[in-house]
Amino acid sequence: MKNSSLGKSIVVLLIFATLTYCLDARLQTCQPSGSIRGIKPPPGQCNPENDSDCCKQGKMYTTYKCSPSVTGNTKAVLTLNSFQKGGDGGGPSECDNQYHSDDTPVVALSTGWYSGGDRCLNYITISANGRSVKAKVVDECDSTMGCDDEHDYQPPCPNNIVDASKAVWKALGIPEGDWGDYDITWSDA
């Protein structure tokens, strides 16, 4: 009888520990890691294509080393980026040192989701507007740095960004008038 009670107690304890762990994991958030002070870009050094922001002199910008946890249905904000040479994405993509046509479904992910390049050249599935599209991860939307030449004098990305080519926006059927910031979900493909 004692063994039976002990066994039940252990099972109850394990279930409680598992539930507590799962709740803690869901409640974890990504906190800011710091901030940087904006500087005024030199003339012609910040490309405002696709409504990209340029850093403002003296403005403080929040930085992140993390992103929210990835699930099968991760909430994010879709932003518009040109990965073409001369586009607002700046230099070649981090994953393959290449430029990519606006007609190709490619994305950059916020620093935490980019995960040091672990998702490079892998596909993610993006869902919005009743549609889904697969897009290749080719770059990082840097959440830790910005307001310098390397980042085209643009502020650091928020920690929940999927920065996408025009091809992604078109595949999702989002009207051009709504392009810019759009609530989506995504998952690893």
Side-chain angles (χ1 to χ4, degrees):
M1 196 69 161
K2 272 188 170 179
N3 284 342
S4 177
S5 293
L6 180 62
K8 288 178 185 177
S9 296
I10 290 173
V11 169
V12 168
L13 185 60
L14 285 173
I15 291 171
F16 179 73
T18 303
L19 287 173
T20 302
Y21 174 79
C22 290
L23 285 174
D24 284 347
R26 269 190 259 137
L27 295 175
Q28 287 179 357
T29 60
C30 173
Q31 299 298 318
S33 57
S35 62
I36 60 170
R37 185 177 305 280
I39 61 170
K40 184 178 180 182
Q45 293 297 305
C46 181
N47 185 342
E49 179 184 13
N50 298 321
D51 291 326
S52 292
D53 291 331
C54 295
C55 291
K56 309 264 187 290
Q57 181 72 36
K59 181 175 179 181
M60 297 304 291
Y61 295 95
T62 303
T63 60
Y64 294 89
K65 292 180 181 174
C66 56
S67 292
S69 297
V70 175
T71 66
N73 209 22
T74 307
K75 291 182 180 182
V77 175
L78 190 69
T79 55
L80 181 60
N81 188 29
S82 176
F83 296 85
Q84 295 186 150
K85 188 173 179 106
D88 64 324
S93 297
E94 188 74 26
C95 293
D96 59 6
N97 202 33
Q98 302 289 315
Y99 291 99
H100 298 271
S101 165
D102 286 340
D103 297 326
T104 304
V106 293
V107 298
L109 297 177
S110 293
T111 296
W113 291 336
Y114 181 73
S115 190
D118 287 350
R119 286 193 168 85
C120 271
L121 307 180
N122 290 322
Y123 284 85
I124 64 170
T125 301
I126 303 165
S127 301
N129 199 35
R131 296 185 185 182
S132 292
V133 60
K134 287 188 194 269
K136 186 189 290 187
V137 176
V138 297
D139 210 348
E140 174 184 15
C141 193
D142 199 338
S143 303
T144 65
M145 301 289 292
C147 298
D148 57 13
D149 183 51
E150 181 183 345
H151 297 92
D152 200 28
Y153 293 94
Q154 295 174 5
C157 278
N159 67 344
N160 64 339
I161 297 297
V162 175
D163 204 18
S165 64
K166 290 179 181 178
V168 171
W169 289 83
K170 288 177 183 176
L172 292 171
I174 300 169
E176 281 192 44
D178 293 336
W179 288 13
D181 287 356
Y182 201 87
D183 290 337
I184 61 153
T185 58
W186 73 275
S187 62
D188 290 307

